[in-house]
Amino acid sequence: MEFRGSHILSVDQFDRGDVERVFEVARKMLPFTQRKRVTRILEGAVLGNIFFEPSTRTRISFGSAFNLLGGNVRDTTSEESLSLAKGENLHDTASVLSGYCDVLVMRHSEAGAVAEFSSQSRVPVINGGDGANEHPSQALLDLFTLDQEMRDKSKRVDGMRIAIVGDLRFGRAVRSLCGLLSVFDSLDVRLASPAQLTLPETLKEKLISQGHTVHEFDSLEPALASCDVVYMTRIQTERFATAKEADLYRGRLRLNRKIYEAWCDPETIIMHPLPRDSRRKARELDEDLNPNPNLAIFRQTDNGLAVRMALFALVLDVADKFEENAKAVPWYRA
Amino acid sequence: MEFRGSHILSVDQFDRGDVERVFEVARKMLPFTQRKRVTRILEGAVLGNIFFEPSTRTRISFGSAFNLLGGNVRDTTSEESLSLAKGENLHDTASVLSGYCDVLVMRHSEAGAVAEFSSQSRVPVINGGDGANEHPSQALLDLFTLDQEMRDKSKRVDGMRIAIVGDLRFGRAVRSLCGLLSVFDSLDVRLASPAQLTLPETLKEKLISQGHTVHEFDSLEPALASCDVVYMTRIQTERFATAKEADLYRGRLRLNRKIYEAWCDPETIIMHPLPRDSRRKARELDEDLNPNPNLAIFRQTDNGLAVRMALFALVLDVADKFEENAKAVPWYRA
Amino acid sequence: MEFRGSHILSVDQFDRGDVERVFEVARKMLPFTQRKRVTRILEGAVLGNIFFEPSTRTRISFGSAFNLLGGNVRDTTSEESLSLAKGENLHDTASVLSGYCDVLVMRHSEAGAVAEFSSQSRVPVINGGDGANEHPSQALLDLFTLDQEMRDKSKRVDGMRIAIVGDLRFGRAVRSLCGLLSVFDSLDVRLASPAQLTLPETLKEKLISQGHTVHEFDSLEPALASCDVVYMTRIQTERFATAKEADLYRGRLRLNRKIYEAWCDPETIIMHPLPRDSRRKARELDEDLNPNPNLAIFRQTDNGLAVRMALFALVLDVADKFEENAKAVPWYRA
């Protein structure tokens, strides 16, 4: 894949070499996300951070990543998508906004909308999540974290056993993750979900056709044995017809300290795309695991900055320049 | 007009020389809006981008323009105008915000509100649209585009024939455009609108008193003959008492490829202040004209950046300094 | 108090020396807030400006202050606090956002929420107002202004007589102000409020135990005699069960020119945390006092920039560095 000038719309664009390239650049970003060094390579560039579906977390992550490269950010949050309310189509919106910005991030509630938007954009568009479809930067940060965590334990992603648990039907983070797992070798994938929320067949078949092993479970415990990592997800209430329907599934598959200690290896890495649902009825990933050093959920969000910086640097072709003229940070950092 | 330190509230402030001065500075901004060069002249300056009526497009255009001059932007969108809800008057708001910023852009739903606000501001205020009243930066970017397009065809704005079509009663873009057209010479202005949505008499009289010719039509086709430019507008649904009333007029005057080819000159420039209404019932400017090289609508929005940069540079008195120390852009640009 | 790396949650953290230190740094910020000089000390730093309860004024003040130090700002306004709606608790939100930013400002509608949030933040958190509880930066800017105003009149804060008027029960600005007044010496504090809206007993007792004199009044005029300063506040409608209940108190204690001239000294300083309620039923501080040179309300908001810059500089440990490499402002300033 030629990153320079490209849209980043789907994990299907990435082969193994592309993923390694993103990880390589993301690792170089770590001194910057950890505020040891400052770069100004994108000074004067403008990111249009267009969130037609709200997301504080992802919007701020992309925005901060761009700021850390020296660029400016113009934000839009959902409440305000009024030109569309005045009857403007996405193509016109793209033609206009791509004149104002050097790169665009878009989140939209409809699957495929970001790709449609990108077709008329004159600058690179990064998919920040489109409905139940894709969330490629989330999958990249998940796998970058996995890669880092496995290295720390002197292990490799290739050949690992991973349990993926929860709402595998509507979670776009899961869909993108499963798509991207395909590029690795010989994975043992254990899918645990309520029977009504299993992973779509096409994704399962893709994993199998790439030589991975896939097992499905409708409860949590049997999926956990000898896993290198367990990836928990929340029930996507907002994708169900009614909150009541979602309630049928919330709280069914739960990981907590007791279950972890009974069923997982002591080194099993715990991940979650966040937000986790900590209300009593849900609690798919219990806070009693917070002290566990294998809980990687906040290392995931930290790594999100590095991965998003890497994507910006790659599509804007500054991945080999941003370290020049970098300076030490003069302010306090814990 | 002395630009330095001035508020930009109405097109009535501009004489021919002022318009030429804005165009001259805007032309110098083009290498910056096209991302060939970067300037940091306003590094450390803060724009308060105060939108009490939401507008993604205009808000981002002003914000990006300020970023391209090196400045920072603090945004407010309508949903949040709560100090006013707590009973604060616009004068207090202006006194406070003008202490936080170096320049302010304000959009407001009420005609005259921006002028009232500016009376207590200690820094320059630019009107980003006040109700059905004025939208001076839109008129300036429309005429800057017209000037550029006519030059490309070795023609001049003076003496041109222009058709202005649609909702001429409620559209503030149209009102500001007609006001600004007055400063040019010997125009042949053809106004086409439903009989209930004609241009206000005062604007018509102003054009005539300045020596221009004005003809009115209640359908589109007869207005188009031998025009250098046709300027389409959308029915301003949000200014009618009910959406139903607006529906009476939507879809009445429509430009599409068939009508263009039958009635326009092959060089007729097509403009629209955007957003255009692409829903089936409206379609005042059909997408089948998108491939037409005379369709200038996205050159208008691109030029909006340059014109808004010029306005900031003029009121903050850096129009003769921003090219000093400008640097080449180090990142990818298509 | 060690400022470096600290959260700023409550005025109770500040002793007299801390307050003097903030004022000392804030005074050094004045050439920057007045746009005589530009510093870039925080270039590359990111402020997360997290407003779960909306406030245009305070949000922009913090954001501009950070921009004036050279940093970037990522904003969140209330409408979008959706990860919390998805069941995320404040601790997770803090863990995530503190990875994206170098410092966080948070406003929240619930008392204590900011402190709870800060307990999981890995970067300094500044309380931008939590329910009816605290608003420490407001108290600091109020007292910095008082200090500046008293110096201008060759007087001192210690030993002054101050009337505090209005809704003393629900106003967090008042609560924080009274808390911070305690660190000064021998104040004569005159509290005027409707009987149902008196200052909480604990705050009164704290003032008395620190050696200050406290008198309470249920009308305005008798509280004003020989005051050095009168601090007016608005009825906090949003903290009452119903707007109707708030209406019982609005308009009861009003300062206007006639009352000022009859009851105040000609040098009495007039303050208000703003917004003031200028609707006919309220008008606790009448606009007919706008020409009075002792009306300090817009000097308060101007000073807010300097005080917030000082807080950022202190917690990020650049208070002794930001003047290095500062440059003259190249753009127009009135």
Side-chain angles (χ1 to χ4, degrees), chain A residues 35 40 56-57 59-60 64 67 75 276 278-279 287 298 302 330-333, chain C residues 5 43 45 74-76 80 87-89 92 96 100-102 122-123 316 321:
Chain A
R35 307 318 204 258
R40 305 299 295 163
T56 304
R57 173 195 316 285
R59 185 173 58 77
I60 293 186
S64 289
N67 285 157
D75 274 312
R276 59 177 162 173
S278 291
R279 289 171 292 194
E287 292 170 65
F298 302 121
D302 284 359
W331 62 85
Y332 168 80
R333 186 78 185 165
Chain C
E43 193 166 63
R74 309 278 24 96
D75 274 312
T76 289
E80 207 204 354
E88 182 169 79
N89 65 33
D92 279 12
V96 173
Y100 298 161
C101 302
D102 295 274
R122 294 170 281 163
V123 301
L316 294 176
K321 298 183 204 171

mmCIF file of all heavy atoms in Angstrom, chain A residues 35 40 56-57 59-60 64 67 75 276 278-279 287 298 302 330-333, chain C residues 5 43 45 74-76 80 87-89 92 96 100-102 122-123 316 321:
data_model
loop_
_atom_site.group_PDB
_atom_site.id
_atom_site.type_symbol
_atom_site.label_atom_id
_atom_site.label_comp_id
_atom_site.label_asym_id
_atom_site.label_seq_id
_atom_site.Cartn_x
_atom_site.Cartn_y
_atom_site.Cartn_z
ATOM 1 N N ARG A 35 5.817 12.678 25.874
ATOM 2 C CA ARG A 35 6.215 14.054 26.162
ATOM 3 C C ARG A 35 7.673 14.170 26.579
ATOM 4 O O ARG A 35 8.008 14.983 27.452
ATOM 5 C CB ARG A 35 5.349 14.680 27.246
ATOM 6 C CG ARG A 35 3.860 14.634 27.059
ATOM 7 C CD ARG A 35 3.368 14.921 25.670
ATOM 8 N NE ARG A 35 1.993 15.399 25.703
ATOM 9 C CZ ARG A 35 0.921 14.654 25.409
ATOM 10 N NH1 ARG A 35 1.051 13.405 25.040
ATOM 11 N NH2 ARG A 35 -0.274 15.199 25.451
ATOM 12 N N ARG A 40 7.551 19.760 15.409
ATOM 13 C CA ARG A 40 6.651 20.759 14.823
ATOM 14 C C ARG A 40 6.504 20.524 13.324
ATOM 15 O O ARG A 40 6.165 21.454 12.585
ATOM 16 C CB ARG A 40 7.196 22.186 15.068
ATOM 17 C CG ARG A 40 7.460 22.530 16.520
ATOM 18 C CD ARG A 40 6.248 22.482 17.404
ATOM 19 N NE ARG A 40 5.256 23.505 17.045
ATOM 20 C CZ ARG A 40 3.988 23.460 17.443
ATOM 21 N NH1 ARG A 40 3.563 22.444 18.192
ATOM 22 N NH2 ARG A 40 3.142 24.398 17.096
ATOM 23 N N THR A 56 -16.197 11.662 22.402
ATOM 24 C CA THR A 56 -15.193 12.484 23.059
ATOM 25 C C THR A 56 -13.815 11.862 22.927
ATOM 26 O O THR A 56 -12.847 12.500 22.519
ATOM 27 C CB THR A 56 -15.511 12.609 24.562
ATOM 28 O OG1 THR A 56 -16.830 13.123 24.696
ATOM 29 C CG2 THR A 56 -14.530 13.544 25.240
ATOM 30 N N ARG A 57 -13.737 10.598 23.307
ATOM 31 C CA ARG A 57 -12.463 9.903 23.388
ATOM 32 C C ARG A 57 -11.723 9.877 22.053
ATOM 33 O O ARG A 57 -10.585 10.328 21.946
ATOM 34 C CB ARG A 57 -12.750 8.489 23.845
ATOM 35 C CG ARG A 57 -11.622 7.524 23.852
ATOM 36 C CD ARG A 57 -12.191 6.111 23.980
ATOM 37 N NE ARG A 57 -13.235 6.116 24.985
ATOM 38 C CZ ARG A 57 -13.005 6.179 26.293
ATOM 39 N NH1 ARG A 57 -11.787 6.210 26.725
ATOM 40 N NH2 ARG A 57 -14.016 6.195 27.126
ATOM 41 N N ARG A 59 -12.325 11.473 19.249
ATOM 42 C CA ARG A 59 -12.115 12.806 18.684
ATOM 43 C C ARG A 59 -10.896 13.474 19.318
ATOM 44 O O ARG A 59 -10.042 14.039 18.618
ATOM 45 C CB ARG A 59 -13.375 13.661 18.893
ATOM 46 C CG ARG A 59 -13.320 15.016 18.238
ATOM 47 C CD ARG A 59 -14.657 15.753 18.319
ATOM 48 N NE ARG A 59 -15.126 15.951 19.671
ATOM 49 C CZ ARG A 59 -14.642 16.884 20.512
ATOM 50 N NH1 ARG A 59 -13.699 17.700 20.119
ATOM 51 N NH2 ARG A 59 -15.126 16.995 21.723
ATOM 52 N N ILE A 60 -10.795 13.396 20.633
ATOM 53 C CA ILE A 60 -9.660 14.031 21.302
ATOM 54 C C ILE A 60 -8.366 13.279 20.998
ATOM 55 O O ILE A 60 -7.308 13.880 20.848
ATOM 56 C CB ILE A 60 -9.924 14.152 22.815
ATOM 57 C CG1 ILE A 60 -11.084 15.156 23.031
ATOM 58 C CG2 ILE A 60 -8.676 14.620 23.564
ATOM 59 C CD1 ILE A 60 -11.360 15.487 24.474
ATOM 60 N N SER A 64 -5.399 15.348 19.536
ATOM 61 C CA SER A 64 -4.132 15.471 20.260
ATOM 62 C C SER A 64 -2.979 14.927 19.430
ATOM 63 O O SER A 64 -1.890 15.508 19.412
ATOM 64 C CB SER A 64 -4.208 14.719 21.590
ATOM 65 O OG SER A 64 -5.048 15.386 22.491
ATOM 66 N N ASN A 67 -2.036 17.577 17.056
ATOM 67 C CA ASN A 67 -1.342 18.642 17.795
ATOM 68 C C ASN A 67 0.093 18.237 18.121
ATOM 69 O O ASN A 67 1.010 19.060 18.046
ATOM 70 C CB ASN A 67 -2.066 18.957 19.108
ATOM 71 C CG ASN A 67 -3.343 19.760 18.944
ATOM 72 O OD1 ASN A 67 -4.204 19.724 19.812
ATOM 73 N ND2 ASN A 67 -3.487 20.492 17.842
ATOM 74 N N ASP A 75 -12.585 21.179 14.777
ATOM 75 C CA ASP A 75 -13.493 20.111 15.199
ATOM 76 C C ASP A 75 -14.929 20.361 14.761
ATOM 77 O O ASP A 75 -15.384 21.509 14.751
ATOM 78 C CB ASP A 75 -13.559 20.070 16.744
ATOM 79 C CG ASP A 75 -12.464 19.238 17.374
ATOM 80 O OD1 ASP A 75 -12.245 18.109 16.926
ATOM 81 O OD2 ASP A 75 -11.831 19.739 18.323
ATOM 82 N N ARG A 276 -15.648 0.829 28.764
ATOM 83 C CA ARG A 276 -16.279 -0.355 29.357
ATOM 84 C C ARG A 276 -17.498 0.133 30.141
ATOM 85 O O ARG A 276 -17.518 1.258 30.640
ATOM 86 C CB ARG A 276 -15.312 -1.139 30.253
ATOM 87 C CG ARG A 276 -14.719 -0.375 31.408
ATOM 88 C CD ARG A 276 -13.824 -1.270 32.279
ATOM 89 N NE ARG A 276 -12.956 -0.435 33.108
ATOM 90 C CZ ARG A 276 -12.160 -0.888 34.056
ATOM 91 N NH1 ARG A 276 -12.105 -2.193 34.316
ATOM 92 N NH2 ARG A 276 -11.400 -0.063 34.752
ATOM 93 N N SER A 278 -19.480 0.148 33.245
ATOM 94 C CA SER A 278 -19.278 -0.201 34.656
ATOM 95 C C SER A 278 -20.557 -0.149 35.470
ATOM 96 O O SER A 278 -20.520 -0.222 36.699
ATOM 97 C CB SER A 278 -18.218 0.726 35.268
ATOM 98 O OG SER A 278 -16.951 0.445 34.717
ATOM 99 N N ARG A 279 -21.710 -0.018 34.814
ATOM 100 C CA ARG A 279 -22.970 -0.048 35.563
ATOM 101 C C ARG A 279 -23.270 -1.469 36.028
ATOM 102 O O ARG A 279 -22.857 -2.437 35.392
ATOM 103 C CB ARG A 279 -24.108 0.478 34.675
ATOM 104 C CG ARG A 279 -23.987 1.991 34.459
ATOM 105 C CD ARG A 279 -24.969 2.459 33.420
ATOM 106 N NE ARG A 279 -24.612 1.946 32.086
ATOM 107 C CZ ARG A 279 -25.128 2.400 30.956
ATOM 108 N NH1 ARG A 279 -26.022 3.384 30.975
ATOM 109 N NH2 ARG A 279 -24.758 1.896 29.792
ATOM 110 N N GLU A 287 -13.925 -3.740 37.539
ATOM 111 C CA GLU A 287 -12.864 -2.872 38.048
ATOM 112 C C GLU A 287 -11.963 -3.573 39.054
ATOM 113 O O GLU A 287 -10.874 -3.066 39.349
ATOM 114 C CB GLU A 287 -13.474 -1.631 38.699
ATOM 115 C CG GLU A 287 -14.139 -0.722 37.684
ATOM 116 C CD GLU A 287 -14.939 0.379 38.345
ATOM 117 O OE1 GLU A 287 -14.308 1.221 39.005
ATOM 118 O OE2 GLU A 287 -16.183 0.388 38.207
ATOM 119 N N PHE A 298 -5.448 0.870 29.407
ATOM 120 C CA PHE A 298 -5.023 2.258 29.299
ATOM 121 C C PHE A 298 -3.714 2.385 28.522
ATOM 122 O O PHE A 298 -3.396 3.444 28.007
ATOM 123 C CB PHE A 298 -4.956 2.913 30.684
ATOM 124 C CG PHE A 298 -6.284 2.843 31.401
ATOM 125 C CD1 PHE A 298 -6.410 2.205 32.628
ATOM 126 C CD2 PHE A 298 -7.427 3.383 30.823
ATOM 127 C CE1 PHE A 298 -7.644 2.119 33.271
ATOM 128 C CE2 PHE A 298 -8.664 3.301 31.452
ATOM 129 C CZ PHE A 298 -8.778 2.664 32.676
ATOM 130 N N ASP A 302 -3.278 4.930 25.386
ATOM 131 C CA ASP A 302 -2.014 5.666 25.219
ATOM 132 C C ASP A 302 -1.399 5.373 23.851
ATOM 133 O O ASP A 302 -0.942 6.289 23.153
ATOM 134 C CB ASP A 302 -1.013 5.275 26.308
ATOM 135 C CG ASP A 302 -1.327 5.917 27.660
ATOM 136 O OD1 ASP A 302 -2.316 6.681 27.757
ATOM 137 O OD2 ASP A 302 -0.577 5.657 28.624
ATOM 138 N N PRO A 330 10.086 21.286 27.648
ATOM 139 C CA PRO A 330 10.558 22.110 28.770
ATOM 140 C C PRO A 330 9.645 22.103 29.988
ATOM 141 O O PRO A 330 9.996 22.687 31.006
ATOM 142 C CB PRO A 330 10.608 23.519 28.151
ATOM 143 C CG PRO A 330 9.524 23.508 27.121
ATOM 144 C CD PRO A 330 9.433 22.093 26.609
ATOM 145 N N TRP A 331 8.465 21.490 29.896
ATOM 146 C CA TRP A 331 7.535 21.568 31.019
ATOM 147 C C TRP A 331 7.532 20.263 31.814
ATOM 148 O O TRP A 331 8.083 19.255 31.399
ATOM 149 C CB TRP A 331 6.129 21.934 30.554
ATOM 150 C CG TRP A 331 5.486 20.958 29.638
ATOM 151 C CD1 TRP A 331 4.785 19.843 29.970
ATOM 152 C CD2 TRP A 331 5.500 21.007 28.201
ATOM 153 N NE1 TRP A 331 4.357 19.195 28.846
ATOM 154 C CE2 TRP A 331 4.776 19.881 27.745
ATOM 155 C CE3 TRP A 331 6.037 21.891 27.250
ATOM 156 C CZ2 TRP A 331 4.592 19.626 26.385
ATOM 157 C CZ3 TRP A 331 5.846 21.627 25.899
ATOM 158 C CH2 TRP A 331 5.135 20.514 25.487
ATOM 159 N N TYR A 332 6.863 20.329 32.965
ATOM 160 C CA TYR A 332 6.803 19.199 33.881
ATOM 161 C C TYR A 332 5.992 18.040 33.324
ATOM 162 O O TYR A 332 4.910 18.238 32.788
ATOM 163 C CB TYR A 332 6.169 19.642 35.198
ATOM 164 C CG TYR A 332 5.812 18.490 36.090
ATOM 165 C CD1 TYR A 332 6.783 17.868 36.870
ATOM 166 C CD2 TYR A 332 4.505 18.008 36.140
ATOM 167 C CE1 TYR A 332 6.454 16.791 37.679
ATOM 168 C CE2 TYR A 332 4.177 16.937 36.950
ATOM 169 C CZ TYR A 332 5.154 16.325 37.709
ATOM 170 O OH TYR A 332 4.829 15.265 38.501
ATOM 171 N N ARG A 333 6.533 16.858 33.493
ATOM 172 C CA ARG A 333 5.818 15.633 33.134
ATOM 173 C C ARG A 333 6.116 14.595 34.205
ATOM 174 O O ARG A 333 7.272 14.380 34.539
ATOM 175 C CB ARG A 333 6.313 15.153 31.765
ATOM 176 C CG ARG A 333 5.561 13.968 31.215
ATOM 177 C CD ARG A 333 4.230 14.359 30.630
ATOM 178 N NE ARG A 333 3.475 13.180 30.225
ATOM 179 C CZ ARG A 333 2.185 13.183 29.944
ATOM 180 N NH1 ARG A 333 1.489 14.298 30.023
ATOM 181 N NH2 ARG A 333 1.559 12.092 29.587
ATOM 182 N N GLY C 5 3.042 19.765 39.243
ATOM 183 C CA GLY C 5 2.364 18.479 39.136
ATOM 184 C C GLY C 5 1.094 18.342 39.962
ATOM 185 O O GLY C 5 0.469 17.284 39.964
ATOM 186 N N GLU C 43 4.647 25.301 23.631
ATOM 187 C CA GLU C 43 4.489 24.812 22.264
ATOM 188 C C GLU C 43 4.602 23.291 22.228
ATOM 189 O O GLU C 43 5.619 22.738 22.635
ATOM 190 C CB GLU C 43 5.573 25.446 21.378
ATOM 191 C CG GLU C 43 5.333 25.258 19.914
ATOM 192 C CD GLU C 43 6.231 26.182 19.097
ATOM 193 O OE1 GLU C 43 7.472 26.025 19.169
ATOM 194 O OE2 GLU C 43 5.720 27.063 18.407
ATOM 195 N N ALA C 45 2.398 21.350 23.881
ATOM 196 C CA ALA C 45 1.592 20.828 24.987
ATOM 197 C C ALA C 45 0.110 20.862 24.605
ATOM 198 O O ALA C 45 -0.318 21.679 23.789
ATOM 199 C CB ALA C 45 1.825 21.656 26.250
ATOM 200 N N ARG C 74 -7.747 21.002 23.259
ATOM 201 C CA ARG C 74 -8.814 20.119 22.779
ATOM 202 C C ARG C 74 -10.008 20.323 23.714
ATOM 203 O O ARG C 74 -9.894 20.140 24.915
ATOM 204 C CB ARG C 74 -8.402 18.632 22.779
ATOM 205 C CG ARG C 74 -7.087 18.334 22.082
ATOM 206 C CD ARG C 74 -7.123 18.190 20.544
ATOM 207 N NE ARG C 74 -8.176 18.838 19.868
ATOM 208 C CZ ARG C 74 -8.090 20.058 19.290
ATOM 209 N NH1 ARG C 74 -6.991 20.772 19.334
ATOM 210 N NH2 ARG C 74 -9.088 20.562 18.657
ATOM 211 N N ASP C 75 -11.145 20.694 23.139
ATOM 212 C CA ASP C 75 -12.334 21.050 23.907
ATOM 213 C C ASP C 75 -13.366 19.936 23.907
ATOM 214 O O ASP C 75 -13.529 19.235 22.909
ATOM 215 C CB ASP C 75 -13.046 22.247 23.231
ATOM 216 C CG ASP C 75 -12.511 23.587 23.657
ATOM 217 O OD1 ASP C 75 -12.362 23.813 24.864
ATOM 218 O OD2 ASP C 75 -12.266 24.430 22.771
ATOM 219 N N THR C 76 -14.100 19.822 25.008
ATOM 220 C CA THR C 76 -15.329 19.040 25.001
ATOM 221 C C THR C 76 -16.412 19.862 25.653
ATOM 222 O O THR C 76 -16.189 20.462 26.709
ATOM 223 C CB THR C 76 -15.161 17.729 25.772
ATOM 224 O OG1 THR C 76 -14.321 16.876 25.017
ATOM 225 C CG2 THR C 76 -16.489 17.012 25.952
ATOM 226 N N GLU C 80 -21.851 16.215 24.688
ATOM 227 C CA GLU C 80 -21.204 15.114 24.016
ATOM 228 C C GLU C 80 -20.637 14.094 24.982
ATOM 229 O O GLU C 80 -19.915 13.192 24.588
ATOM 230 C CB GLU C 80 -20.060 15.739 23.207
ATOM 231 C CG GLU C 80 -19.638 14.986 21.996
ATOM 232 C CD GLU C 80 -18.201 15.389 21.719
ATOM 233 O OE1 GLU C 80 -17.666 16.275 22.386
ATOM 234 O OE2 GLU C 80 -17.613 14.762 20.840
ATOM 235 N N GLY C 87 -21.956 4.181 30.068
ATOM 236 C CA GLY C 87 -21.709 3.456 31.308
ATOM 237 C C GLY C 87 -20.278 3.550 31.809
ATOM 238 O O GLY C 87 -19.907 2.857 32.754
ATOM 239 N N GLU C 88 -19.462 4.394 31.186
ATOM 240 C CA GLU C 88 -18.082 4.536 31.661
ATOM 241 C C GLU C 88 -18.071 5.340 32.948
ATOM 242 O O GLU C 88 -18.796 6.321 33.084
ATOM 243 C CB GLU C 88 -17.236 5.239 30.602
ATOM 244 C CG GLU C 88 -15.780 5.378 31.017
ATOM 245 C CD GLU C 88 -14.899 5.822 29.866
ATOM 246 O OE1 GLU C 88 -14.880 7.026 29.546
ATOM 247 O OE2 GLU C 88 -14.227 4.973 29.277
ATOM 248 N N ASN C 89 -17.257 4.952 33.917
ATOM 249 C CA ASN C 89 -17.161 5.762 35.126
ATOM 250 C C ASN C 89 -16.070 6.818 34.975
ATOM 251 O O ASN C 89 -15.248 6.763 34.064
ATOM 252 C CB ASN C 89 -16.935 4.886 36.365
ATOM 253 C CG ASN C 89 -15.607 4.168 36.327
ATOM 254 O OD1 ASN C 89 -14.626 4.684 35.804
ATOM 255 N ND2 ASN C 89 -15.572 2.969 36.882
ATOM 256 N N ASP C 92 -12.273 5.788 34.660
ATOM 257 C CA ASP C 92 -11.797 5.364 33.340
ATOM 258 C C ASP C 92 -11.600 6.571 32.429
ATOM 259 O O ASP C 92 -10.600 6.672 31.722
ATOM 260 C CB ASP C 92 -12.806 4.400 32.674
ATOM 261 C CG ASP C 92 -12.663 2.958 33.176
ATOM 262 O OD1 ASP C 92 -11.957 2.744 34.183
ATOM 263 O OD2 ASP C 92 -13.269 2.058 32.565
ATOM 264 N N VAL C 96 -8.040 7.604 30.627
ATOM 265 C CA VAL C 96 -7.886 7.743 29.181
ATOM 266 C C VAL C 96 -7.442 9.157 28.813
ATOM 267 O O VAL C 96 -6.428 9.359 28.141
ATOM 268 C CB VAL C 96 -9.209 7.406 28.465
ATOM 269 C CG1 VAL C 96 -9.100 7.716 26.982
ATOM 270 C CG2 VAL C 96 -9.569 5.941 28.684
ATOM 271 N N TYR C 100 -3.883 11.586 26.865
ATOM 272 C CA TYR C 100 -3.928 12.390 25.643
ATOM 273 C C TYR C 100 -3.400 13.811 25.852
ATOM 274 O O TYR C 100 -3.151 14.525 24.887
ATOM 275 C CB TYR C 100 -5.368 12.510 25.125
ATOM 276 C CG TYR C 100 -6.042 11.219 24.726
ATOM 277 C CD1 TYR C 100 -7.441 11.156 24.616
ATOM 278 C CD2 TYR C 100 -5.321 10.068 24.421
ATOM 279 C CE1 TYR C 100 -8.077 9.984 24.243
ATOM 280 C CE2 TYR C 100 -5.957 8.901 24.046
ATOM 281 C CZ TYR C 100 -7.340 8.861 23.964
ATOM 282 O OH TYR C 100 -7.981 7.709 23.592
ATOM 283 N N CYS C 101 -3.335 14.256 27.116
ATOM 284 C CA CYS C 101 -3.133 15.685 27.406
ATOM 285 C C CYS C 101 -2.025 15.889 28.429
ATOM 286 O O CYS C 101 -1.640 14.966 29.141
ATOM 287 C CB CYS C 101 -4.439 16.270 27.962
ATOM 288 S SG CYS C 101 -5.833 16.086 26.830
ATOM 289 N N ASP C 102 -1.531 17.130 28.522
ATOM 290 C CA ASP C 102 -0.511 17.476 29.510
ATOM 291 C C ASP C 102 -1.117 18.066 30.770
ATOM 292 O O ASP C 102 -0.469 18.111 31.819
ATOM 293 C CB ASP C 102 0.470 18.478 28.894
ATOM 294 C CG ASP C 102 1.228 17.844 27.750
ATOM 295 O OD1 ASP C 102 2.248 17.202 28.016
ATOM 296 O OD2 ASP C 102 0.761 17.940 26.593
ATOM 297 N N ARG C 122 -3.343 11.133 35.373
ATOM 298 C CA ARG C 122 -1.881 11.097 35.438
ATOM 299 C C ARG C 122 -1.268 12.463 35.172
ATOM 300 O O ARG C 122 -0.047 12.601 35.133
ATOM 301 C CB ARG C 122 -1.360 10.066 34.437
ATOM 302 C CG ARG C 122 -1.755 8.643 34.812
ATOM 303 C CD ARG C 122 -1.444 7.666 33.687
ATOM 304 N NE ARG C 122 -2.452 7.707 32.637
ATOM 305 C CZ ARG C 122 -2.277 7.210 31.411
ATOM 306 N NH1 ARG C 122 -1.122 6.680 31.068
ATOM 307 N NH2 ARG C 122 -3.249 7.276 30.510
ATOM 308 N N VAL C 123 -2.102 13.471 34.922
ATOM 309 C CA VAL C 123 -1.606 14.841 34.717
ATOM 310 C C VAL C 123 -2.408 15.775 35.618
ATOM 311 O O VAL C 123 -3.497 15.407 36.086
ATOM 312 C CB VAL C 123 -1.733 15.281 33.233
ATOM 313 C CG1 VAL C 123 -0.945 14.345 32.316
ATOM 314 C CG2 VAL C 123 -3.199 15.357 32.802
ATOM 315 N N LEU C 316 2.668 23.215 35.626
ATOM 316 C CA LEU C 316 3.558 22.626 34.610
ATOM 317 C C LEU C 316 5.003 23.093 34.780
ATOM 318 O O LEU C 316 5.868 22.781 33.953
ATOM 319 C CB LEU C 316 3.035 22.939 33.204
ATOM 320 C CG LEU C 316 1.693 22.270 32.863
ATOM 321 C CD1 LEU C 316 1.204 22.729 31.490
ATOM 322 C CD2 LEU C 316 1.826 20.738 32.884
ATOM 323 N N LYS C 321 10.326 30.251 33.446
ATOM 324 C CA LYS C 321 10.919 30.112 32.106
ATOM 325 C C LYS C 321 10.163 30.836 30.998
ATOM 326 O O LYS C 321 10.706 31.038 29.915
ATOM 327 C CB LYS C 321 10.930 28.629 31.699
ATOM 328 C CG LYS C 321 11.732 27.699 32.564
ATOM 329 C CD LYS C 321 11.665 26.290 31.951
ATOM 330 C CE LYS C 321 11.924 25.246 33.035
ATOM 331 N NZ LYS C 321 11.669 23.882 32.568
#
